[in-house]
Structures are given as structure tokens and as C-alpha cells.
Amino acid sequence: MTDQSPKTPPSIVLLRHGETQWNREGRYQGQHDSPLTLNGIGQIRAIAETLRPVIEELGRCQLWSSPLARTRQSVSIFCEQLGLSYADVLFDDRLMERSYGRWEGLTMGEIAARYPEDVKLEQSDRWNFAIPEGGECFADVARRLRNWLNEIPNDMPVITMAHGGSGRVLRGVCMNLKPENIFAFNDPQSSAFVMSETTTKTVQAAPQYLRAFGCADAGLGVRI
């Protein structure tokens, strides 16, 4: 990425919301919403327990979240599981998922049938293609996330609940990666990422916690 790297907090713990009904159906959500499944609730509880020693070691943290309903529900479950205060969570529109415009609520098959020209344009320039009818391009998402990073206090660690698309772009912004490297991220839904100025660590929800909380699987990767 060509933009200057933003200033960042000493550590960022980045999470993705749990599985939703539309995730299960393979539908693009963007800035529309669908509720968490029981599997998604279990995924958040499992990654919270897996991260417990990390959060305890970090000490006092700021809590941030996208304001969309699925991330609000996920961060509420995360806080309750770890005894953190949901009242302390700060919500920011810049953490929201990419707006997918007229694709939202559709499967990839439905998009290809209705809007084949969109698919061709997306494939030709995936980073800069803005989906019609209010959609964003990934470059737009990177700009708003960089602005968020530059404006938040950087004197304490941050825990952030985001989305599959916006989350991987945030990782790329923090690590100053090229778009092709950002698109290569495809970690399960119940993953977390602990990032500092010098290191990035991927944390997968521990299998024993996934089993304990009734999860059918570790969750989807980022398919979009």
C-alpha cells in the first residue's frame, strides 16, 4: 500500500463477529445485518476464553467495535465471557464492513446471474472497484480505517470487534501490506490477531473451547 503507515496503539487485538445466518447461507452482508447463529455465539465465547491470558497480560485496554448489530452482539458476548464492561465499548462507523451496494443480501451465484458486468469489473481491479448503488471499494475501506487508527489514543492496547472484510483490510493497513497480500488472508471466523509495531500473531480458538461451547466448526474464512 502506498499510503504512509498510520500510528498505532502498542497492541491491537482484532476479532471478527461470530457466524451469522447470512454467513451460513453464503450471502454478502456488507452494512446490512443478520443475527448470529448458535454456532456464532459459541465461536465468540471460544475465542474469548482462548484469549483470556492475552487480555489479562495486556491489562487495561480500550474496547472498540463496529456499530452493526452482529458486531454489537459479538462484542457483548465477548465482554460478558471475560467480565469486561460492555458499557465501555466505543463504536465507530469506520470499523464497519465494506458496503457491498447492490450485492448485499445476495449469494455469489445470484450476483453473477444478475450483475455479470459487476463481476468482470471486480475481477479486473478488485482493490478499486466500487460496487454500484452505494458500494465501496477496498481502497475506500482502507482510507477510513487509516483515519480511525490515526485518531484513536495510542497510549494503551486496543481490542477491536470488526468484520471479515474490514478486519483483513485493517490488518493490511497496520502491516503496510499490498492488496494482493491482504486478499490472501483467509483465517477461520473464530480467529483473532494480536498485532504490535513489531509482531503479528494469529490466535485460533482452542478446540476444547469450541467443543465446550457447542461449535460445529471454527467458522468460515473470508471468501470475499
Side-chain angles (χ1 to χ4, degrees):
M1 298 173 71
T2 57
D3 297 84
Q4 185 177 1
S5 297
K7 68 180 181 69
T8 58
S11 294
I12 298 176
V13 179
L14 174 63
L15 301 115
R16 180 184 177 188
H17 63 80
E19 179 193 75
T20 68
Q21 295 289 345
W22 277 9
N23 286 151
R24 181 176 287 178
E25 296 170 10
R27 298 188 181 279
Y28 282 73
Q29 293 184 116
Q31 295 180 7
H32 280 69
D33 256 316
S34 67
L36 298 189
T37 62
L38 287 176
N39 197 50
I41 291 169
Q43 289 166 355
I44 294 298
R45 297 185 70 189
I47 191 59
E49 281 301 326
T50 304
L51 286 171
R52 185 181 290 274
V54 175
I55 303 301
E56 290 175 349
E57 183 177 349
L58 288 175
R60 183 167 173 260
C61 297
Q62 277 197 333
L63 291 158
W64 289 84
S65 177
S66 159
L68 294 174
R70 59 192 183 272
T71 39
R72 284 181 179 271
Q73 186 180 4
S74 295
V75 77
S76 173
I77 294 164
F78 184 86
C79 287
E80 185 171 358
Q81 189 68 38
L82 294 180
L84 304 173
S85 173
Y86 178 77
D88 291 337
V89 178
L90 301 167
F91 296 94
D92 197 299
D93 288 353
R94 291 171 293 186
L95 293 169
M96 290 197 298
E97 183 58 290
R98 177 192 182 191
S99 171
Y100 282 90
R102 63 187 181 186
W103 292 13
E104 293 188 5
L106 303 178
T107 67
M108 192 64 244
E110 291 168 341
I111 293 164
R114 294 187 195 184
Y115 309 117
E117 68 281 7
D118 289 5
V119 177
K120 291 179 182 178
L121 289 168
E122 172 98 333
Q123 290 172 345
S124 68
D125 189 358
R126 197 173 178 191
W127 186 250
N128 292 299
F129 172 63
I131 301 164
E133 299 180 19
E136 294 176 289
C137 64
F138 282 107
D140 294 331
V141 178
R143 278 188 287 272
R144 59 174 160 89
L145 289 169
R146 187 176 289 105
N147 289 339
W148 174 75
L149 281 167
N150 281 326
E151 290 180 18
I152 64 173
N154 63 346
D155 57 350
M156 71 176 72
V158 166
I159 301 169
T160 304
M161 184 68 69
H163 303 265
S166 67
R168 69 175 173 180
V169 174
L170 181 58
R171 290 167 68 192
V173 168
C174 289
M175 299 164 67
N176 201 29
L177 297 179
K178 295 180 179 179
E180 57 265 31
N181 301 120
I182 295 172
F183 292 137
F185 290 141
N186 193 35
D187 301 277
Q189 199 143 10
S190 56
S191 304
F193 310 96
V194 183
M195 301 180 288
S196 70
E197 290 184 2
T198 57
T199 62
T200 298
K201 179 182 179 183
T202 301
V203 179
Q204 306 285 2
Q208 67 267 30
Y209 293 132
L210 289 168
R211 289 193 297 269
F213 296 119
C215 297
D217 52 53
L220 300 169
V222 182
R223 301 166 303 173
I224 53 182

